[in-house]
Amino acid sequence: MTQDAFSKTPITTASDQVFVDMRREIVEGTIEQGSKISEPELAKRYGVSRATLREALNRLESCYLVERKANVGCRVVALTAERLIEVYEVRSALEGLACRLAADNMAADEVQSLKQLLNQHLHTQRVKEGESYYQEAGDLDFHYRIIKGSKNEHLIHLLSNGLYQLIRMYRVQMGMVGPRVSKAFDEHLAIINAIESHDGELAELLMKRHISASQANVQNKFDLLAAQKSAVNK
């Protein structure tokens, strides 16, 4: 029996497998953002019934990766500057709180494991050169580990089962290159040091600043794309 690499839950049905596969493909951009969903085409692609596909789509809708609109149908969510602001406002508040709680609740071995993860990121990706800082989902994701480290089940549910995949979609598809890569790594290190020192106030502040910087980085990309589109249309 296989497992969902993110949630660690068993994949027991065809609907489970379609959900996991589509979630990954939407987040990574294989299924394009904003694209219309054709149930017949996708059912054929995954080799499942329309009913099975709809079960998976309902779950994807609950984690904000697809949306249904009257007279439009079902579409993959579109990444927009307006949605970025709304999502990151919520992310900043909730992940800041997660950091504050993690400073009180993460065990010493959990903190050391997270430090080892950062060291692994530094040595397996070209972070210092500003070329790459791609984090896999779940336990290989610095942010996810802190969310879990808060030990607050309601907060974990809100972030992990709700916004997490949509946030990852922004991070993966409009992620970091250049100077922001090494800066983000240094910010991660400062956050975990604050957590290790049990300074919840500082950890929360650093996380909020980190998320604000990440939002600005993505916003700059939106601005660049808008400028390029305007130039082409002139």
Side-chain angles (χ1 to χ4, degrees):
M1 182 182 297
T2 58
Q3 275 190 336
D4 178 352
F6 168 65
S7 66
K8 306 299 182 184
T9 56
I11 297 174
T12 59
T13 67
S15 177
D16 290 340
Q17 189 65 61
V18 174
F19 167 70
V20 169
D21 290 344
M22 284 192 68
R23 184 184 65 195
R24 182 188 67 254
E25 292 177 6
I26 290 172
V27 167
E28 295 180 353
T30 305
I31 299 177
E32 292 186 6
Q33 55 157 308
S35 60
K36 184 172 176 57
I37 289 175
S38 168
E39 289 188 8
E41 289 181 10
L42 285 175
K44 182 178 180 180
R45 174 179 172 183
Y46 292 110
V48 296
S49 68
R50 295 274 292 275
T52 296
L53 178 67
R54 288 192 192 106
E55 288 181 31
L57 290 175
N58 287 338
R59 294 172 67 184
L60 290 166
E61 185 177 13
S62 71
C63 54
Y64 306 101
L65 294 182
V66 303
E67 54 190 6
R68 290 183 172 89
K69 292 185 178 179
N71 303 319
V72 176
C74 191
R75 287 186 178 275
V76 176
V77 68
L79 301 182
T80 65
E82 294 75 19
R83 181 174 273 127
L84 171 73
I85 293 171
E86 292 183 354
V87 170
Y88 271 62
E89 283 177 343
V90 175
R91 181 189 179 194
S92 178
L94 295 183
E95 285 200 40
L97 175 59
C99 261
R100 179 183 285 273
L101 294 174
D104 291 331
N105 297 324
M106 282 186 79
D109 62 326
E110 292 177 299
V111 173
Q112 290 307 310
S113 177
L114 190 48
K115 282 193 164 187
Q116 290 172 7
L117 177 67
L118 286 180
N119 191 54
Q120 177 185 332
H121 288 166
L122 182 63
H123 289 91
T124 59
Q125 302 189 51
R126 300 185 67 81
V127 172
K128 288 184 177 179
E129 293 80 1
E131 291 186 18
S132 173
Y133 194 5
Y134 174 77
Q135 297 181 69
E136 299 285 349
D139 287 342
L140 297 178
D141 180 354
F142 174 82
H143 289 267
Y144 179 77
R145 294 273 284 271
I146 288 179
I147 292 166
K148 297 288 283 187
S150 73
K151 307 295 172 62
N152 183 304
E153 291 303 321
H154 292 287
L155 183 60
I156 292 168
H157 177 78
L158 285 171
L159 281 166
S160 299
N161 298 327
L163 289 174
Y164 179 77
Q165 297 297 339
L166 179 56
I167 291 168
R168 277 204 80 235
M169 193 173 170
Y170 274 102
R171 290 165 62 195
V172 171
Q173 295 191 33
M174 306 193 75
M176 296 173 287
V177 293
R180 178 63 197 150
V181 172
S182 57
K183 287 180 181 178
F185 178 85
D186 290 341
E187 289 162 9
H188 283 178
L189 188 58
I191 289 167
I192 193 59
N193 285 339
I195 290 173
E196 184 177 34
S197 299
H198 303 292
D199 191 335
E201 184 176 354
L202 178 60
E204 180 176 18
L205 175 64
L206 292 174
M207 177 58 83
K208 287 183 174 181
R209 286 178 176 174
H210 170 66
I211 291 173
S212 178
S214 297
Q215 178 181 338
N217 179 65
V218 176
Q219 183 62 57
N220 287 339
K221 294 191 176 184
F222 277 120
D223 293 343
L224 179 60
L225 290 171
Q228 291 173 340
K229 183 177 180 180
S230 178
V232 169
N233 291 334
K234 284 184 178 179

